[in-house]
């Protein structure tokens, strides 16, 4: 179980009090137990992902009710809750999830009621126990910074949600985070969400900020308790320039360039180039472009970037790809992309940051942020790999647009006029060709080569690793190579060309497809540039050590990679999807079908290192109906996000109600899960599908959650070793196909034991929005005679087996057909074929 601690000092204090309580005369004696029972508030539900009480304090082998109540009282909490016989929680509220009826465990001392599995025995901590003037419902005086209670909605009142907290949320944590973010206000919602922004009044005032943190208002359901941070200018340094698109330019992929004013063209110069410079100062940003190995036509990718600021006291920062893992201080990303950091010409381990406060370097997963706080310059750099070629995609962000600088270069001038974004080294406009194709081939190449190619070593700010020098990268005298243009023209003439079908007349898309593959073309259309993405809504999780811990790093949608050691795009297995469905039937990674009938929450698949450390867990909830069961709900967590889907139901008006929750909000805003796009599709009257597209990390792969009536299924489409090779759960081992026990050593052939083995444990987070029985240590509820009675039920079916077989005949997989026939006979419903 993840124990959420408000702070180290609080935890230390709690431990101290508990230890003292156990050994001192403060422990409640037997004679006072009756008084304690008078303070008993009842048995209440808990939830691993959304705790009913704010603080976990201690797990003790000798826990008593008195110990827990005393510790929570001394720490200033109104209530104490005991769970699972030995766990102590404290808080000022306790009933947000509702009543429970399974507080059936005694404390480890064996004499007192101490909760149950995800159930809290709650006691007030007031003066009736200790005889002092402590009140039962303390509420702290709101600070002067409190701005009141305000409505929130899917169209958020505050633009950024901060999700990096590993423990329970407190007001100081949220305010500190939003202060670091550069926002004027911090808003707390439902007692556990933190939002930052410069405005909060969009949806008007509210009156239901009834959740508390440390006795202070911490919002409510779709309501924000808003506090000032003390920031006066609201610069929101890391907000990626929302609403100021002319202050963001991008270079990505091939490399495609989007200027500050939105002009799109390609730069295939194989040299160091000037991306941006000031005519008034020494400020300059340079990039290094290298050829894609083994490709015709000399297509280029970005492999390095260096920033030199006008202020000579600020360090020159360079992020570049190294030749190998043995290069100086190189850090490996994506298995084969080796990245170096140079600060004023000296190499550093990039995961340790720049070592300076005036130029911050932060790493999260495969994102690198370079920020100069004093000049409002930010580079968001993403390490990518396509077709075994590592490269950088970069957002160039000028938070204030540098109005006092006269900026020129490949990225253009941020003046709102794209017609002057081609210019010479003196800033004089150069005519931009009218034909869109010309922005990608010879005219674009000759423009960049003539005006922005760095031909002299003394003009370069790059530092070179051992064995490399300026001349290894300089090709400013290289003539235009028409091969790439010819490849594209030939493709356009081929009516059967798959990339042409995908891209149409989009030249940039065609270049991606012909050089890097069809999947790259698809992603190009989905993500034409990083700059086009919406503002960030979540933090990336895990990854390399963070050198400087800011409150937030804007999140880019995860990007394509084909760097798997064991499988390529062409080798993605074309087997039926793995997963679970219907009755419930399970389909292992190797397409073995089996059934497990019981009622409980189970782990379908789990991998904490999924997608470069983002993490994934899929749980299913089954329901028993006499002698068979079905999956009634499924929940999936990727990163910090949880998506839950329950079987559809018909409401009083005869319409179908799609029952889904996103981060415990019923029908909340549904755009991404863990950064992966998610779409809701309403099929026939009783079908709904939620599709999570994993293509940005795992081309061609998806996770599909679907409903048919009250039945729920989960499909892993085109799963590969790269994506799910390290997962555990009831679906078995991906590589061997074996159905394994939790210890990873025992293979289980008895599927009844397998189902019991993978029941969700208290050590695993609750992903569902509510708690249903049974919960461990209560075992899955199974039919009394899962084989004999089911067989008799099937033999008494009023639907002939031949009729069921005819109904299921359209299913391609013979095992699916068998399962389908079984479901029809078991449920006496011919429409069950629709579940497949």
């Amino acid at each position: 179980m993840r124990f959420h601690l408000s702070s180290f000092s609080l935890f230390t204090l709690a431990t101290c009090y508990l230890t003292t309580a156990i050994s001192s005369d403060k422990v409640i004696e037997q004679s006072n137990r009756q008084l304690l029972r008078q303070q008993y508030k009842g048995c209440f539900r808990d939830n691993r992902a959304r705790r009913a009480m704010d603080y976990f304090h201690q797990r003790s082998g000798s826990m008593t009710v008195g110990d827990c109540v005393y510790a929570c009282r001394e720490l200033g909490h109104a209530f104490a809750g005991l769970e699972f016989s030995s766990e102590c929680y404290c808080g000022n509220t306790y009933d947000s999830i509702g009543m429970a009826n399974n507080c059936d465990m005694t404390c480890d001392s064996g004499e007192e009621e101490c909760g149950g599995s995800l159930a809290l025995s709650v006691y007030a901590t007031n003066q009736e126990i200790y005889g002092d003037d402590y009140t039962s419902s303390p509420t702290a005086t709101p600070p002067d910074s409190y701005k009141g209670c305000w409505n929130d909605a899917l169209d958020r009142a505050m633009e950024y949600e901060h999700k990096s907290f590993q423990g329970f949320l407190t007001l100081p944590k949220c305010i500190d985070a939003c202060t670091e973010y550069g926002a004027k206000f911090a808003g707390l919602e439902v007692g556990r969400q933190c939002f930052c922004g410069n405005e909060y009044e969009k949806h008007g005032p509210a009156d239901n900020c009834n959740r508390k943190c440390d006795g202070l208002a911490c919002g409510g359901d779709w309501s924000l308790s808003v506090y000032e941070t003390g920031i006066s200018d609201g610069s929101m340094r890391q907000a990626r320039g929302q609403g100021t698109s002319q202050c963001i330019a991008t270079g990505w992929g091939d490399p495609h360039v989007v200027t500050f004013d939105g002009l799109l063209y390609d730069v295939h110069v194989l040299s160091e180039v000037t991306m941006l410079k000031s005519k008034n100062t020494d400020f300059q940003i340079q990039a290094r472009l290298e050829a894609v190995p083994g490709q015709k036509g000399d297509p280029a990718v970005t492999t390095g970037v260096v920033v030199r600021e006008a202020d000579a006291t600020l360090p020159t920062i360079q992020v570049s790809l190294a030749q190998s893992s043995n290069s100086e201080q190189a850090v490996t990303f994506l298995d084969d992309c080796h990245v170096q950091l140079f600060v004023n010409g000296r190499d550093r381990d990039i995961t340790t940051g720049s070592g300076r406060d005036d130029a911050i370097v932060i790493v999260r997963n495969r994102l690198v942020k370079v920020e100069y706080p004093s000049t409002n310059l930010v580079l968001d750099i993403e390490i990518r790999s396509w077709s075994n070629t590592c490269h950088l995609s970069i957002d160039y962000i000028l938070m204030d647009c540098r109005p006092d600088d006269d900026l020129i270069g490949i990225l253009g001038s941020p003046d709102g006029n794209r017609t002057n974004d081609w210019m010479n080294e003196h800033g004089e406009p150069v005519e931009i060709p009218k034909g869109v194709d010309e922005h990608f081939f010879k005219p674009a190449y000759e423009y960049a080569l003539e005006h922005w190619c760095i031909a002299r070593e003394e003009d370069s700010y790059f530092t070179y690793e051992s064995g490399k020098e300026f001349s290894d990268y300089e090709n400013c005298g290289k003539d235009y190579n028409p091969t790439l243009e010819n490849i594209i023209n030939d493709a356009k003439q081929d009516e059967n060309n798959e990339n042409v079908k995908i891209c149409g007349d989009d030249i940039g898309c065609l270049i991606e497809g012909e050089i890097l593959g069809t999947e790259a073309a698809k992603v190009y259309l989905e993500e034409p540039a990083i700059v086009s993405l919406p503002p960030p809504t979540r933090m990336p999780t895990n990854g390399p050590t963070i050198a400087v811990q800011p409150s937030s790093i804007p999140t880019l949608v995860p990007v394509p990679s084909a760097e798997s050691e064991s499988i390529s795009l062409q080798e993605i297995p074309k087997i039926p999807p793995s997963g679970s469905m219907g009755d419930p039937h399970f389909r292992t990674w190797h397409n073995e079908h089996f059934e497990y009938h019981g009622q409980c929450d189970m782990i379908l698949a789990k991998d904490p290192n999924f997608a470069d450390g983002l993490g994934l867990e899929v749980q299913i909830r089954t329901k028993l109906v006499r002698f068979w069961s079905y999956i009634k709900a499924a929940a999936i967590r990727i990163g910090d996000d949880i998506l839950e889907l329950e079987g559809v139901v018909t409401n009083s008006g005869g319409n179908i109600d799609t029952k889904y929750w996103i981060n415990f909000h019923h029908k909340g805003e549904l755009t991404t899960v863990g950064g992966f796009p998610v779409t809701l599709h309403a099929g026939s009257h009783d079908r709904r599908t939620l599709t999570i597209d994993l293509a940005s990390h795992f081309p061609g792969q998806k996770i599909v959650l679907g409903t048919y009536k009250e039945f729920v299924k989960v499909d892993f489409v085109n799963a590969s070793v790269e994506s799910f090779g390290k997962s555990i759960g009831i679906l078995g081992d991906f590589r061997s196909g074996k159905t394994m026990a939790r210890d990873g050593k025992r293979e289980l052939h008895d599927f009844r034991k397998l189902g019991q083995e993978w029941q969700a444990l208290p050590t695993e987070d609750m992903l569902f929005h509510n708690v249903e029985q049974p919960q461990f240590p209560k075992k899955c509820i199974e039919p009394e005679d899962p084989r004999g009675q089911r067989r008799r039920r099937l033999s008494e079916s009023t639907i002939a087996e031949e009729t069921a077989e005819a109904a299921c005949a359209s299913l391609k997989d013979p095992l699916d057909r068998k399962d389908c026939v079984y479901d029809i006979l078991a449920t006496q419903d011919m429409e069950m074929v629709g579940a497949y």
Side-chain angles (χ1 to χ4, degrees):
M1 181 179 294
R2 292 193 304 175
F3 297 146
H4 300 287
L5 310 176
S6 58
S7 69
F8 176 77
S9 59
L10 192 59
F11 175 71
T12 304
L13 182 61
T15 304
C16 176
Y17 279 129
L18 281 169
T19 303
T20 302
I22 292 170
S23 58
S24 73
D25 57 2
K26 290 284 188 178
V27 178
I28 298 176
E29 300 294 339
Q30 183 70 35
S31 60
N32 291 328
R33 294 190 191 280
Q34 185 61 36
L35 285 176
L36 185 62
R37 295 301 300 177
Q38 294 175 6
Q39 308 311 126
Y40 182 60
K41 309 303 292 184
C43 182
F44 292 86
R45 291 178 178 176
D46 200 7
N47 186 305
R48 296 186 188 94
R50 181 167 57 99
R51 287 293 181 187
M53 303 185 76
D54 290 341
Y55 298 108
F56 171 81
H57 282 320
Q58 177 75 324
R59 182 179 184 122
S60 170
S62 57
M63 180 69 67
T64 68
V65 174
D67 296 339
C68 184
V69 170
Y70 178 72
C72 293
R73 172 193 174 275
E74 291 297 314
L75 289 168
H77 296 282
F79 303 102
L82 295 101
E83 183 171 324
F84 212 72
S85 78
S86 60
E87 297 173 7
C88 175
Y89 294 82
C90 307
N92 294 319
T93 59
Y94 55 84
D95 57 357
S96 60
I97 308 175
M99 294 286 293
N101 60 5
N102 62 313
C103 290
D104 51 9
M105 294 184 180
T106 61
C107 285
D108 289 341
S109 61
E111 299 179 4
E112 302 167 296
E113 180 184 291
C114 285
S117 177
L118 290 174
L120 290 155
S121 296
V122 179
Y123 297 81
T125 62
N126 64 19
Q127 76 280 7
E128 291 185 42
I129 299 177
Y130 293 101
D132 58 22
D133 58 357
Y134 186 76
T135 61
S136 60
S137 300
T139 300
T141 302
D144 294 338
S145 62
Y146 184 55
K147 307 301 292 183
C149 183
W150 298 86
N151 280 314
D152 199 8
L154 292 179
D155 177 20
R156 290 293 186 185
M158 304 180 77
E159 51 263 58
Y160 177 72
E161 180 180 4
H162 193 286
K163 285 192 174 182
S164 69
F165 300 116
Q166 298 303 309
F168 281 103
L169 179 63
T170 65
L171 176 60
K173 280 185 180 181
C174 185
I175 289 179
D176 288 348
C178 293
T179 300
E180 288 290 333
Y181 186 70
K184 292 181 180 180
F185 304 105
L188 296 95
E189 188 165 321
V190 296
R192 69 184 194 90
Q193 289 179 284
C194 175
F195 294 86
C196 309
N198 291 331
E199 298 178 353
Y200 57 86
E201 300 169 312
K202 180 188 297 186
H203 302 297
D207 60 1
N208 64 319
C209 290
N210 49 20
R211 295 297 298 271
K212 295 289 193 293
C213 308
D214 292 329
L216 295 169
C218 284
D221 192 21
W222 292 107
S223 60
L224 290 155
S225 297
V226 179
Y227 298 83
E228 292 177 325
T229 63
I231 299 284
S232 59
D233 59 357
S235 60
M236 294 180 70
R237 293 188 294 113
Q238 300 178 21
R240 291 175 55 86
Q242 293 100 306
T244 56
S245 59
Q246 63 181 210
C247 297
I248 303 177
T250 298
W252 92 106
D254 208 81
H256 311 293
V257 169
V258 179
T259 68
F260 290 107
D261 299 329
L263 178 67
L264 173 65
Y265 69 103
D266 268 20
V267 177
H268 287 282
V269 174
L270 304 179
S271 289
E272 295 169 1
V273 297
T274 301
M275 300 300 290
L276 192 67
K277 65 180 293 186
S278 170
K279 292 174 62 179
N280 306 327
T281 70
D282 291 332
F283 166 65
Q284 191 164 160
I285 301 176
Q286 298 175 352
R288 176 184 296 159
L289 310 182
E290 295 186 71
V292 177
Q295 295 289 347
K296 298 178 180 180
D298 296 332
V301 291
T302 304
T303 61
V305 63
V306 60
V307 179
R308 170 180 170 144
E309 270 291 3
D311 184 347
T313 65
L314 297 177
T316 297
I317 301 293
Q318 174 183 327
V319 177
S320 53
L321 296 179
Q323 302 302 305
S324 73
S325 59
N326 296 323
S327 300
E328 297 91 334
Q329 303 273 16
V331 175
T332 301
F333 295 76
L334 303 178
D335 296 332
D336 199 34
C337 297
H338 315 298
V339 182
Q340 288 180 295
L341 170 68
F342 293 92
V343 180
N344 283 336
R346 300 188 64 178
D347 55 280
R348 287 182 59 93
D349 181 336
I350 195 169
T351 63
T352 67
S354 66
R356 302 177 58 123
D357 295 330
D358 51 3
I360 300 169
V361 177
I362 306 161
V363 174
R364 278 286 176 88
N365 293 331
R366 52 183 172 193
L367 301 178
V368 178
K369 176 179 285 295
V370 176
E371 180 177 0
Y372 289 82
S374 63
T375 64
N376 288 324
L377 171 67
V378 176
L379 267 61
D380 281 346
I381 305 168
E382 188 161 17
I383 298 114
R384 294 186 171 189
S385 178
W386 267 112
S387 192
N388 298 317
T389 299
C390 298
H391 57 279
L392 309 178
S393 287
I394 306 169
D395 274 0
Y396 303 85
I397 306 171
L398 308 176
M399 289 300 180
D400 58 1
C401 295
R402 300 216 176 198
D404 298 329
D405 273 351
D406 192 351
L407 298 176
I408 58 176
I410 284 176
L411 300 179
S413 297
D415 58 6
N417 178 14
R418 73 177 59 183
T419 63
N420 66 2
D421 277 354
W422 279 18
M423 66 199 73
N424 63 23
E425 55 273 30
H426 305 295
E428 300 165 343
V430 172
E431 183 178 359
I432 301 175
K434 297 186 182 299
V436 175
D437 288 12
E438 304 301 324
H439 296 174
F440 292 88
F441 299 119
K442 186 175 182 179
Y445 176 84
E446 292 183 342
Y447 159 70
L449 188 79
E450 179 179 355
H451 300 294
W452 304 116
C453 190
I454 299 173
R456 300 189 309 169
E457 184 172 2
E458 57 265 34
D459 294 330
S460 171
Y461 296 123
F462 274 95
T463 299
Y464 306 98
E465 61 181 289
S466 298
K468 290 289 182 178
E469 56 187 23
F470 174 76
S471 60
D472 293 318
Y473 301 100
E474 190 273 315
N475 289 289
C476 293
K478 184 177 178 63
D479 291 336
Y480 172 70
N481 184 341
T483 303
L484 179 60
E485 183 175 1
N486 294 335
I487 291 173
I488 300 304
N489 288 334
D490 290 343
K492 291 166 66 175
Q493 301 303 315
D494 181 2
E495 60 183 17
N496 296 319
N497 186 288
E498 189 65 25
N499 291 318
V500 174
K501 295 177 182 178
I502 294 170
C503 301
D505 294 330
D506 191 318
I507 302 301
C509 174
L510 279 175
I511 292 174
E512 291 285 295
E514 292 298 304
I515 298 302
L516 299 177
T518 299
E519 290 300 323
K522 292 177 181 178
V523 173
Y524 176 97
L525 293 178
E526 295 170 359
E527 186 194 356
I530 300 174
V531 71
S532 69
L533 296 178
T537 58
R538 57 168 288 277
M539 281 274 300
T541 58
N542 302 324
T545 302
I546 304 167
V548 181
Q549 177 66 59
S551 67
S552 61
I553 301 176
T555 301
L556 311 180
V557 170
V559 295
S561 65
E563 63 274 12
S564 170
E565 295 178 350
S566 56
I567 193 164
S568 68
L569 298 184
Q570 292 74 28
E571 295 169 339
I572 291 176
K574 302 302 181 183
I575 61 174
S578 305
S580 60
M581 65 194 313
D583 194 277
H585 305 291
F586 295 93
R587 187 190 291 120
T588 72
W589 300 116
H590 283 216
N591 200 32
E592 179 182 4
H593 290 221
F594 69 91
E595 298 174 23
Y596 171 70
H597 288 279
Q599 178 172 309
C600 59
D601 296 348
M602 289 184 283
I603 304 299
L604 192 67
K606 180 179 179 180
D607 179 5
N609 296 312
F610 176 80
D612 301 325
L614 200 59
L616 171 140
E617 184 170 349
V618 184
Q619 296 182 9
I620 57 172
R621 172 168 287 172
T622 56
K623 181 176 178 61
L624 188 65
V625 183
R626 294 190 67 194
F627 307 117
W628 58 281
S629 61
Y630 67 92
I631 300 172
K632 64 170 291 186
I636 178 170
R637 176 174 61 191
I638 302 178
D640 290 330
D641 292 334
I642 300 174
L643 174 63
E644 177 186 351
L645 180 65
E646 193 171 299
V648 297
V649 296
T650 304
N651 61 30
S652 58
N655 297 317
I656 295 296
D657 179 26
T658 305
K659 300 179 70 175
Y660 73 85
W661 291 260
I662 181 73
N663 295 327
F664 306 108
H665 282 298
H666 184 227
K667 295 186 179 180
E669 183 178 10
L670 192 63
T671 54
T672 61
V673 175
F676 295 102
V678 58
T679 55
L680 171 64
H681 174 70
S684 61
H685 70 284
D686 46 14
R687 292 183 180 87
R688 298 293 185 269
T689 301
L690 286 170
T691 300
I692 303 171
D693 191 349
L694 305 178
S696 53
H697 264 81
F698 309 111
Q701 301 187 43
K702 301 175 182 179
I703 301 176
V704 180
L705 284 70
T707 64
Y708 173 73
K709 298 184 178 180
E710 67 268 39
F711 295 85
V712 175
K713 69 175 183 178
V714 181
D715 282 342
F716 299 87
V717 180
N718 289 334
S720 69
V721 171
E722 178 188 21
S723 54
F724 297 102
K726 296 181 180 179
S727 67
I728 60 174
I730 201 170
L731 295 185
D733 178 73
F734 193 98
R735 297 175 186 270
S736 68
K738 296 178 180 179
T739 45
M740 304 300 293
R742 284 179 175 270
D743 60 13
K745 300 176 182 178
R746 294 175 294 126
E747 182 178 3
L748 298 179
H749 299 286
D750 184 330
F751 296 126
R752 186 178 179 183
K753 291 183 179 179
L754 181 68
Q756 295 168 346
E757 179 79 3
W758 288 105
Q759 180 185 3
L761 302 177
T763 54
E764 287 154 332
D765 287 343
M766 170 70 71
L767 302 187
F768 296 98
H769 74 282
N770 63 343
V771 179
E772 293 189 4
Q773 293 302 321
Q775 295 291 330
F776 192 89
K778 293 181 179 179
K779 294 293 187 180
C780 299
I781 302 172
E782 296 179 343
E784 292 182 7
D785 185 3
R787 295 186 180 275
Q789 291 289 356
R790 285 170 61 85
R791 285 179 181 148
R792 198 176 93 182
R793 170 72 184 273
L794 295 177
S795 68
E796 295 173 352
S797 171
T798 59
I799 299 176
E801 186 170 350
E802 293 78 9
T803 304
E805 289 175 348
C808 302
S810 61
L811 301 177
K812 296 180 180 180
D813 189 325
L815 294 177
D816 279 347
R817 291 198 298 270
K818 178 182 176 182
D819 292 342
C820 173
V821 170
Y822 190 90
D823 283 354
I824 289 177
L825 297 180
T827 63
Q828 294 293 281
D829 184 358
M830 287 290 294
E831 294 184 356
M832 274 304 297
V833 68
Y836 293 82

